[in-house]
Amino acid sequence: MRLRATPRAIRWTAAGTAAAVAVALLVAVGPAGAGPAHTAAGHRWITDDQGRALVLTGLNTASSAKSRPDGLPWIKETDVRRESDELGSDFVRLLIQWRNVEPAPGAYDDGYLDAIAERVRWYGARGFHVMLDLHQDVYGPAVKGNGAPAWATEAEGLPVAERGQWELKYIEPGTVRAFDNFWGTRTASRDLRAHYAAAWAHVAARFADDPAVLGYDLMNEPFGGSVQGPAFEAGPLAALYRRTITAVREVDHDSWIFVEPEAVSANWGLPSGLPYLADPRGTGDRARISYAPHLYPLPMDLGGGYTGDSARWVDRTLASWREQTEKTARRLGAPVLIGEYGLDIKLPGALRYVEKVRTMAQDMGAGTAYWSNDPGPWAPWDHNLRRTPLLPVLDRPEPRAIAGDPVAYTWDEPSRTLAVRWRPEPGVRGDTEVYLPARFFPRGGVVTGGTQNGWDAKSRILRVASGAGGAGEVSVRIRPRP
Ligand code: MNI
């Protein structure tokens, strides 16, 4: 993502002292908490290069990349077309593997990055924002997981037993040792974190000027080996993030950088100990660090559906997950993106659960990436690529980009009304864009309370003038065109 330097940015870099920076900040954005695109909970929105708040909605692509030797997801371009045509997606969390990026120490496979770039183009051509996710589960294939190359796996010969429940491989001796050597909480033969940061810098250099790439998810579901909880998150994890952020910013000034908490606690709605992580590109609204936790309520991991007692526990998890996520996001000064949520949709109540998560994300001003697009029982398409009942649940009317400071948006299905409210902000350019699925808006929409600026029947995007220059809040309603 590219952004021209704004006068504000120039003033900041010219400011020699902390006091001058503080003055410039007050002049530029007003009192603390002001400035564009903040949610009710006080954290920020992810913005595009026109300053518009983005409502990112999409899928993870794909679990298949974990196990394939080529490290690529199963998709062809026609699958991206299907995702674009049948689903209201404007976002993809695209999995990549360290083992394929850096197959030998310090040697990068640019053929792999070319293949990733081709897939990014498929998405970009259809208006998607792409987040690259350097994925791992259970460290790497040398310890029966995925992610890290074998040369970067120092398990010291300790065993890793196959387990029925894959998550249990995380606590096998060889896996824990490999993590400890990675994090440097034991003395490894190499500084593996230096390799990790440099591998990211190599990837970021390749995609820095790619307008389809929104940013980088530095590590999937981090796990600390024998160091757990706040000691891990505020210690080795924060240190790796700081090192990697510095390395990425040397080659890419503008893309968003997404950080995840320790998965095993945060996925279940427990607190994260992740500390504030400075962005070399600036503080406050200049920073582009986003918080991207996952959401997997424990009752569902245990095979429960969204009914009865299990549903009550899931609801409590959702409430604590939201509270903890917003607390961490405020500490980080970061917008929120739910990088993964998902379940086997045959579980009782599964579709209501998905709806519930989407509504929560909407209330939080958070984007979502459903896990995953691999055809099967979790996905919007089955093994024959026929639509599953999940598809219409994911495919909802929604704003895509809001040209100002978003106040709220709601979809009321009985009255077929999408309502969007925002406060115009100086410096935000372009229209508000809303996505209107064919099954509710077969002939597009009619706007009240604002000015329609165009309708694209192919992408099903309706544009509404930002209202900048007008006074106060803009409140528009969009109903189906008769
Ligand atoms: O549920 C997890 C998960 C459980 C336990 C642990 N540890 C013990 C460290 C870590 C993670 N993850 C959920 C989903 N994430 C992956 C992809 O990132 C999906 O395949 C899982 O369903």
Side-chain angles (χ1 to χ4, degrees), residues 60 63 66 93 95 133 135-137 166-168 170-171 220-223 228 260 262-264 267-268 294 296 301 340 342 371 378:
N60 277 269
S63 193
K66 298 175 179 181
R93 180 170 182 261
L95 278 72
D133 152 41
H135 204 90
Q136 73 81 32
D137 302 275
W166 70 267
E167 295 95 327
L168 291 174
Y170 266 113
I171 51 173
N220 181 68
E221 300 202 337
F223 176 67
Q228 304 281 328
E260 301 191 24
E262 176 185 70
V264 71
N267 286 10
W268 296 340
H294 297 177
Y296 288 102
D301 282 357
E340 286 185 25
W371 183 270
W378 285 47

Side-chain angles (χ1 to χ4, degrees), residues 443-459:
R443 286 170 294 282
V446 177
V447 179
T448 53
T451 309
Q452 180 169 332
N453 253 355
W455 161 246
D456 178 28
K458 177 94 183 70
S459 63

Side-chain angles (χ1 to χ4, degrees), residues 102-108 151 195:
E102 191 179 4
Y108 304 111
W151 63 262
H195 277 279

